[in-house]
Amino acid sequence: GYKGSIMKGTLKEDGSVAGAEVVVPKMFYNGQADGGLYVFGNWIYYTSPSTDTNSEGTVLTSRQVFFRTKTDGTDTQQIAAVAANTYEYLFTPSGLFYYDSSNGQIVKVAYSESAVGASSVIAEDVTDVMFVKDGEYAYGESRSSDMFFYTKAGDTKNDADVLYGNRVYACNYEGKSVLLIDNTTYVPEGAVAAQYQYTVT
């Protein structure tokens, strides 16, 4: 038997699987409840524990590596490696996004059909992220509904010199963000802002 490998087969009319074979002979695992497999075009996108070792020879399994393998099993490419298997992430047709909560950054690693590109920080000082994973996707098409959301701390202080509220952003799969809500969104003209303190969660 096989444990942890990603396999493919032909789904028959009666619901059984015929001709099952290993496509990815790696352990598929991540520490995120929302994690999963993604398939875009000719690639399967997944996560696996690191097989690197430290100076004492201990395998660093708590680290996470993002991979993609062709659906026919002929090529595997590493996309990124991160310090823990609890990073929130989202694979999209154009790149991997992940949230490093230890330094408040959202990172994108772009890829094309043939190659993995460089990583870039697309947002800093992030306090939380919501990757939308239950939407409908159309490979090769770009739609305004394909985006995720994140928050940053507010940038206005109240009378007690304390930052209040927060800012909510939407980001598309190209890594371009737009501010949706900030500390002034719900403040009527001429009102005292401190009476309209909102924190969006």
Side-chain angles (χ1 to χ4, degrees):
Y2 297 95
K3 289 186 177 180
S5 298
I6 299 173
M7 306 180 73
K8 74 172 182 179
T10 302
L11 185 62
K12 297 166 64 175
E13 286 187 20
D14 65 0
S16 63
V17 177
E21 60 184 0
V22 173
V23 178
V24 180
K26 292 179 178 293
M27 175 65 73
F28 164 64
Y29 173 80
N30 64 71
Q32 269 295 313
D34 292 333
L37 295 173
Y38 293 72
V39 180
F40 297 114
N42 297 314
W43 295 93
I44 301 169
Y45 296 82
Y46 58 97
T47 61
S48 186
S50 173
T51 57
D52 293 339
T53 57
N54 62 17
S55 58
E56 286 83 36
T58 303
V59 180
L60 302 172
T61 55
S62 63
R63 293 186 179 177
Q64 180 128 302
V65 185
F66 297 91
F67 289 102
R68 69 178 187 172
T69 297
K70 283 199 169 177
T71 53
D72 63 5
T74 59
D75 188 18
T76 295
Q77 297 176 349
Q78 179 175 315
I79 299 170
V82 296
N85 60 27
T86 54
Y87 280 39
E88 294 182 69
Y89 67 91
L90 176 69
F91 286 113
T92 75
S94 63
L96 162 71
F97 293 87
Y98 65 85
Y99 173 45
D100 182 350
S101 60
S102 67
N103 62 20
Q105 294 181 334
I106 297 176
V107 178
K108 179 182 180 182
V109 184
Y111 40 68
S112 65
E113 179 61 26
S114 59
V116 175
S119 65
S120 59
V121 176
I122 61 162
E124 296 185 280
D125 302 319
V126 174
T127 55
D128 206 354
V129 66
M130 184 178 77
F131 290 126
V132 181
K133 299 187 179 184
D134 57 356
E136 294 182 5
Y137 302 98
Y139 180 73
E141 296 179 13
S142 178
R143 299 180 303 197
S144 60
S145 60
D146 293 337
M147 61 185 62
F148 59 90
F149 305 89
Y150 62 91
T151 57
K152 293 186 177 189
D155 57 359
T156 305
K157 292 186 177 182
N158 61 18
D159 294 338
D161 201 35
V162 176
L163 286 172
Y164 66 89
N166 61 2
R167 294 168 284 166
V168 180
Y169 294 81
C171 185
N172 68 14
Y173 290 173
E174 299 307 312
K176 298 187 187 309
S177 296
V178 62
L179 176 65
L180 299 179
I181 300 170
D182 66 9
N183 294 332
T184 65
T185 300
Y186 300 108
V187 180
E189 188 174 345
V192 178
Q195 295 175 351
Y196 295 87
Q197 297 180 11
Y198 290 91
T199 299
V200 180
T201 61

